[in-house]
Amino acid sequence: YILYIGKNINRRCSMSSKSTNKLIVPGSKQAVENLKYEIANELGITLGADTSSRLNGTVGGYMTKKLVEMAERQMSGK
């Protein structure tokens, strides 16, 4: 699944960076949000402003793992 094409532009002379993502699959943003909360629920993590960055990172890591597994299954035809 390719959900976003990301383009990062980092300027050496400033401390900020500009990031733009172009949505290429309609509805993919909602699918990613659903996946995030599904995985957080499986891990027993409640997402929110008070959730530590470590726990948020854990959810993100599992999301990546799951998306790679889905892509591998799709590519192998299973």
Side-chain angles (χ1 to χ4, degrees):
Y1 288 85
I2 298 175
L3 302 173
Y4 290 96
I5 294 178
K7 181 180 177 186
N8 290 318
I9 301 170
N10 293 316
R11 298 174 192 262
R12 295 178 108 179
C13 60
S14 72
M15 295 295 287
S16 66
S17 66
K18 181 179 176 184
S19 176
T20 59
N21 293 317
K22 293 181 182 180
L23 189 64
I24 60 172
V25 177
S28 62
K29 185 173 185 176
Q30 186 61 49
V32 170
E33 283 295 307
N34 292 344
L35 179 63
K36 176 172 65 175
Y37 283 96
E38 176 185 324
I39 289 173
N41 187 41
E42 288 175 12
L43 297 174
I45 297 171
T46 302
L47 296 175
D50 295 333
T51 306
S52 73
S53 59
R54 182 179 182 115
L55 290 176
N56 285 329
T58 299
V59 172
Y62 276 88
M63 286 176 65
T64 301
K65 180 179 177 181
K66 196 164 204 169
L67 288 169
V68 168
E69 289 171 355
M70 292 166 62
E72 287 173 342
R73 279 195 307 270
Q74 187 178 33
M75 290 172 48
S76 69
K78 292 182 180 182

